[in-house]
Amino acid sequence: QVQLQESGPGLVKPSQTVSLSCTVSGGSINSGNYYWTWIRQPAGKGLEWIGRISASGSTNYNFSLTSRVTISLDASKNQFSLTLSSVTAADTAVYYCARGYGHFDYWGQGTLVTVSS
Amino acid sequence: EVVLTQSPATLSLSPGERATLSCRASQSISSYLVWYQQKPGQAPRLLINDASNRATGIPARFSGSGSGTDFTLTISTLEPEDFALYYCQQRSDWPPTFGGGTKVEIK
Protein backbone atom coordinates (compact mmCIF):
# COMPACT_ATOMS: atom_id res chain seq x y z
CA GLN A 1 0.00 0.00 0.00
CA VAL A 2 1.53 3.28 -1.10
CA GLN A 3 1.58 6.00 1.56
CA LEU A 4 2.64 9.62 1.31
CA GLN A 5 3.55 11.96 4.15
CA GLU A 6 4.22 15.67 3.87
CA SER A 7 6.55 17.61 6.12
CA GLY A 8 7.33 21.29 6.32
CA PRO A 9 7.88 24.33 8.55
CA GLY A 10 4.26 25.27 9.23
CA LEU A 11 4.86 29.02 9.56
CA VAL A 12 6.68 31.16 7.03
CA LYS A 13 7.20 34.92 6.85
CA PRO A 14 6.05 36.92 3.84
CA SER A 15 8.58 37.16 1.01
CA GLN A 16 10.44 34.09 2.24
CA THR A 17 10.80 30.70 0.58
CA VAL A 18 9.02 27.62 1.88
CA SER A 19 10.20 24.09 1.24
CA LEU A 20 8.01 21.03 1.72
CA SER A 21 8.91 17.37 1.40
CA CYS A 22 6.80 14.33 0.67
CA THR A 23 8.10 10.93 1.77
CA VAL A 24 6.75 7.97 -0.15
CA SER A 25 6.54 4.52 1.42
CA GLY A 26 5.28 1.21 0.09
CA GLY A 27 6.90 1.67 -3.30
CA SER A 28 9.89 3.19 -5.05
CA ILE A 29 9.43 6.75 -6.21
CA ASN A 30 11.40 6.18 -9.41
CA SER A 31 9.84 2.92 -10.52
CA GLY A 32 7.14 2.69 -13.12
CA ASN A 33 5.64 5.58 -15.02
CA TYR A 34 4.28 7.43 -12.01
CA TYR A 35 4.14 11.16 -11.58
CA TRP A 36 4.29 12.87 -8.21
CA THR A 37 2.16 15.94 -7.69
CA TRP A 38 1.60 18.87 -5.34
CA ILE A 39 -1.88 20.30 -4.79
CA ARG A 40 -2.97 22.97 -2.32
CA GLN A 41 -6.19 24.02 -0.65
CA PRO A 42 -6.69 27.35 1.12
CA ALA A 43 -8.90 27.12 4.18
CA GLY A 44 -12.54 26.74 3.19
CA LYS A 45 -11.73 26.85 -0.51
CA GLY A 46 -11.21 24.50 -3.42
CA LEU A 47 -8.20 22.64 -4.73
CA GLU A 48 -5.41 24.05 -6.89
CA TRP A 49 -2.94 21.89 -8.81
CA ILE A 50 0.59 23.22 -8.34
CA GLY A 51 2.80 20.94 -10.39
CA ARG A 52 4.19 17.47 -10.93
CA ILE A 53 7.41 15.60 -11.46
CA SER A 54 7.97 12.32 -13.25
CA ALA A 55 10.04 9.45 -11.97
CA SER A 56 12.73 10.56 -14.41
CA GLY A 57 12.66 14.14 -13.13
CA SER A 58 10.61 15.88 -15.82
CA THR A 59 8.47 18.69 -14.38
CA ASN A 60 5.32 20.65 -15.24
CA TYR A 61 4.01 23.61 -13.27
CA ASN A 62 0.77 25.53 -13.11
CA PHE A 63 1.32 28.66 -15.19
CA SER A 64 -0.07 30.76 -12.34
CA LEU A 65 2.85 29.71 -10.13
CA THR A 66 5.59 28.73 -12.55
CA SER A 67 7.87 31.66 -11.76
CA ARG A 68 7.93 30.77 -8.05
CA VAL A 69 7.74 26.97 -7.94
CA THR A 70 10.32 24.22 -8.15
CA ILE A 71 9.59 20.54 -7.69
CA SER A 72 12.45 18.09 -7.29
CA LEU A 73 12.92 14.42 -6.57
CA ASP A 74 15.41 12.60 -4.34
CA ALA A 75 15.26 8.92 -5.15
CA SER A 76 17.80 8.04 -2.45
CA LYS A 77 15.35 9.26 0.19
CA ASN A 78 12.23 8.20 -1.73
CA GLN A 79 11.08 11.80 -1.47
CA PHE A 80 9.99 14.64 -3.66
CA SER A 81 9.91 18.27 -2.68
CA LEU A 82 8.20 21.58 -3.37
CA THR A 83 9.90 24.94 -3.10
CA LEU A 84 7.76 28.07 -3.31
CA SER A 85 9.48 31.44 -3.27
CA SER A 86 8.33 34.99 -2.45
CA VAL A 87 5.35 33.76 -0.46
CA THR A 88 2.43 35.99 0.48
CA ALA A 89 -0.68 35.50 2.60
CA ALA A 90 -2.39 34.15 -0.51
CA ASP A 91 -0.10 31.12 -0.31
CA THR A 92 -1.53 30.12 3.07
CA ALA A 93 -3.07 26.70 2.50
CA VAL A 94 -2.95 23.01 3.23
CA TYR A 95 -0.44 21.50 0.84
CA TYR A 96 -1.00 17.93 -0.32
CA CYS A 97 1.34 15.62 -2.12
CA ALA A 98 -0.24 12.97 -4.30
CA ARG A 99 0.56 10.31 -6.86
CA GLY A 100 -0.68 10.70 -10.37
CA TYR A 101 -0.44 12.44 -13.73
CA GLY A 102 -4.01 13.32 -14.61
CA HIS A 103 -5.85 11.87 -11.65
CA PHE A 104 -4.59 11.29 -8.14
CA ASP A 105 -5.05 7.95 -6.44
CA TYR A 106 -2.89 8.28 -3.33
CA TRP A 107 -2.67 11.42 -1.21
CA GLY A 108 -0.78 12.51 1.84
CA GLN A 109 -2.63 13.85 4.89
CA GLY A 110 -1.66 17.40 4.03
CA THR A 111 0.48 19.98 5.80
CA LEU A 112 -0.66 23.48 6.71
CA VAL A 113 1.55 26.32 5.61
CA THR A 114 0.71 29.68 7.15
CA VAL A 115 2.31 32.83 5.78
CA SER A 116 2.42 35.46 8.47
CA SER A 117 4.87 37.88 10.01
CA GLU B 1 -7.82 26.80 -18.56
CA VAL B 2 -10.95 24.70 -18.23
CA VAL B 3 -13.39 26.01 -15.63
CA LEU B 4 -15.53 23.43 -13.85
CA THR B 5 -18.78 24.57 -12.27
CA GLN B 6 -20.39 22.28 -9.73
CA SER B 7 -24.00 22.45 -8.67
CA PRO B 8 -25.66 22.68 -6.33
CA ALA B 9 -23.22 24.14 -3.83
CA THR B 10 -25.03 22.30 -1.05
CA LEU B 11 -27.33 19.31 -1.21
CA SER B 12 -29.41 18.58 1.89
CA LEU B 13 -30.64 15.00 1.95
CA SER B 14 -31.48 12.21 4.38
CA PRO B 15 -29.76 8.83 4.65
CA GLY B 16 -31.29 6.42 2.18
CA GLU B 17 -32.05 9.11 -0.39
CA ARG B 18 -30.49 9.46 -3.82
CA ALA B 19 -27.93 12.20 -4.45
CA THR B 20 -27.31 13.72 -7.86
CA LEU B 21 -24.34 16.06 -8.24
CA SER B 22 -23.54 18.02 -11.37
CA CYS B 23 -20.27 19.22 -12.88
CA ARG B 24 -20.20 21.36 -16.02
CA ALA B 25 -17.03 22.14 -17.99
CA SER B 26 -16.38 25.40 -19.84
CA GLN B 27 -15.32 23.40 -22.90
CA SER B 28 -15.49 19.81 -24.00
CA ILE B 29 -13.25 17.51 -21.98
CA SER B 30 -14.41 14.24 -23.58
CA SER B 31 -14.64 11.76 -20.69
CA TYR B 32 -11.59 13.01 -18.80
CA LEU B 33 -13.49 13.82 -15.63
CA VAL B 34 -12.60 12.66 -12.14
CA TRP B 35 -14.61 12.74 -8.90
CA TYR B 36 -13.24 12.91 -5.36
CA GLN B 37 -14.79 12.78 -1.91
CA GLN B 38 -13.35 14.85 0.91
CA LYS B 39 -14.26 14.68 4.59
CA PRO B 40 -13.28 17.36 7.14
CA GLY B 41 -9.61 17.25 8.01
CA GLN B 42 -8.88 14.56 5.42
CA ALA B 43 -7.31 14.42 2.00
CA PRO B 44 -9.54 13.90 -1.01
CA ARG B 45 -10.30 10.31 -1.92
CA LEU B 46 -10.49 9.18 -5.53
CA LEU B 47 -13.99 7.91 -6.38
CA ILE B 48 -14.44 7.91 -10.15
CA ASN B 49 -12.01 8.27 -13.06
CA ASP B 50 -12.75 8.88 -16.74
CA ALA B 51 -16.29 9.96 -15.92
CA SER B 52 -17.65 6.52 -15.03
CA ASN B 53 -14.93 4.15 -13.81
CA ARG B 54 -15.07 3.51 -10.08
CA ALA B 55 -11.72 3.46 -8.34
CA THR B 56 -10.57 0.41 -6.44
CA GLY B 57 -12.65 -0.24 -3.34
CA ILE B 58 -15.36 2.31 -4.12
CA PRO B 59 -18.87 0.97 -3.40
CA ALA B 60 -21.24 0.36 -6.28
CA ARG B 61 -23.70 2.96 -4.95
CA PHE B 62 -21.36 5.59 -6.46
CA SER B 63 -21.72 6.01 -10.20
CA GLY B 64 -20.59 8.60 -12.69
CA SER B 65 -21.87 9.53 -16.11
CA GLY B 66 -21.52 12.13 -18.82
CA SER B 67 -19.19 13.29 -21.54
CA GLY B 68 -18.29 16.49 -23.30
CA THR B 69 -19.27 19.28 -20.92
CA ASP B 70 -21.90 17.79 -18.60
CA PHE B 71 -21.21 15.20 -15.94
CA THR B 72 -23.10 13.66 -13.05
CA LEU B 73 -22.10 11.83 -9.89
CA THR B 74 -24.92 9.76 -8.43
CA ILE B 75 -25.01 8.19 -5.01
CA SER B 76 -27.90 5.77 -5.26
CA THR B 77 -28.65 5.36 -1.56
CA LEU B 78 -26.91 7.70 0.86
CA GLU B 79 -25.10 6.04 3.74
CA PRO B 80 -24.13 8.06 6.85
CA GLU B 81 -20.48 8.04 5.78
CA ASP B 82 -21.32 9.62 2.39
CA PHE B 83 -22.08 13.04 3.85
CA ALA B 84 -19.04 14.96 2.70
CA LEU B 85 -17.68 17.37 0.13
CA TYR B 86 -17.39 16.23 -3.48
CA TYR B 87 -15.08 17.69 -6.10
CA CYS B 88 -14.84 17.11 -9.81
CA GLN B 89 -11.55 17.53 -11.67
CA GLN B 90 -10.69 17.56 -15.36
CA ARG B 91 -7.58 15.95 -16.81
CA SER B 92 -8.24 16.76 -20.46
CA ASP B 93 -6.53 20.11 -20.61
CA TRP B 94 -3.43 21.52 -18.93
CA PRO B 95 -3.35 22.42 -16.10
CA PRO B 96 -5.65 20.01 -14.31
CA THR B 97 -8.42 22.01 -12.66
CA PHE B 98 -10.99 21.33 -9.97
CA GLY B 99 -14.57 22.40 -9.47
CA GLY B 100 -15.65 24.43 -6.46
CA GLY B 101 -17.24 21.44 -4.76
CA THR B 102 -20.68 20.25 -3.67
CA LYS B 103 -21.36 19.66 0.00
CA VAL B 104 -23.75 16.80 0.72
CA GLU B 105 -25.17 17.45 4.16
CA ILE B 106 -27.65 15.70 6.38
CA LYS B 107 -31.13 17.18 6.17
Side-chain angles (χ1 to χ4, degrees):
Chain A
Q1 174 81 348
V2 174
Q3 293 184 314
L4 295 86
Q5 179 66 60
E6 305 89 348
S7 58
L11 180 63
V12 187
K13 289 182 168 49
S15 79
Q16 290 189 340
T17 294
V18 61
S19 294
L20 304 177
S21 293
C22 180
T23 302
V24 179
S25 58
S28 174
I29 199 169
N30 61 358
S31 69
N33 293 322
Y34 294 119
Y35 279 69
W36 305 93
T37 293
W38 287 96
I39 292 164
R40 69 181 182 179
Q41 184 174 35
K45 296 187 178 180
L47 298 153
E48 179 182 30
W49 182 86
I50 297 171
R52 64 190 171 209
I53 187 167
S54 71
S56 62
S58 173
T59 54
N60 300 106
Y61 302 128
N62 193 322
F63 50 69
S64 65
L65 296 166
T66 191
S67 63
R68 299 194 292 129
V69 169
T70 303
I71 296 176
S72 59
L73 185 148
D74 186 340
S76 68
K77 296 181 180 179
N78 227 37
Q79 285 182 346
F80 64 108
S81 299
L82 167 70
T83 301
L84 182 65
S85 63
S86 304
V87 298
T88 70
D91 295 311
T92 294
V94 174
Y95 286 73
Y96 294 101
C97 58
R99 188 183 80 169
Y101 179 87
H103 69 279
F104 314 109
D105 55 0
Y106 291 99
W107 295 65
Q109 299 264 41
T111 188
L112 176 62
V113 174
T114 301
V115 181
S116 175
S117 55
Chain B
E1 67 180 40
V2 176
V3 176
L4 297 177
T5 302
Q6 291 188 243
S7 61
T10 304
L11 200 49
S12 299
L13 295 167
S14 300
E17 290 192 295
R18 181 184 188 90
T20 303
L21 288 68
S22 173
C23 178
R24 176 164 290 178
S26 59
Q27 64 191 65
S28 177
I29 56 171
S30 186
S31 294
Y32 297 119
L33 196 282
V34 187
W35 289 97
Y36 300 90
Q37 176 194 68
Q38 187 178 34
K39 296 180 179 179
Q42 297 185 16
R45 172 194 181 196
L46 176 64
L47 294 178
I48 302 276
N49 187 25
D50 289 346
S52 61
N53 297 327
R54 275 191 304 277
T56 303
I58 301 303
R61 64 181 181 272
F62 290 92
S63 64
S65 63
S67 66
T69 60
D70 291 305
F71 300 86
T72 300
L73 174 69
T74 301
I75 310 171
S76 59
T77 306
L78 280 165
E79 298 289 338
E81 62 268 26
D82 299 336
F83 291 91
L85 198 51
Y86 292 84
Y87 290 101
C88 59
Q89 176 233 320
Q90 64 82 21
R91 65 180 193 88
S92 170
D93 191 48
W94 185 88
T97 51
F98 295 83
T102 290
K103 181 181 181 181
V104 179
E105 65 175 23
I106 300 177
K107 187 174 181 180

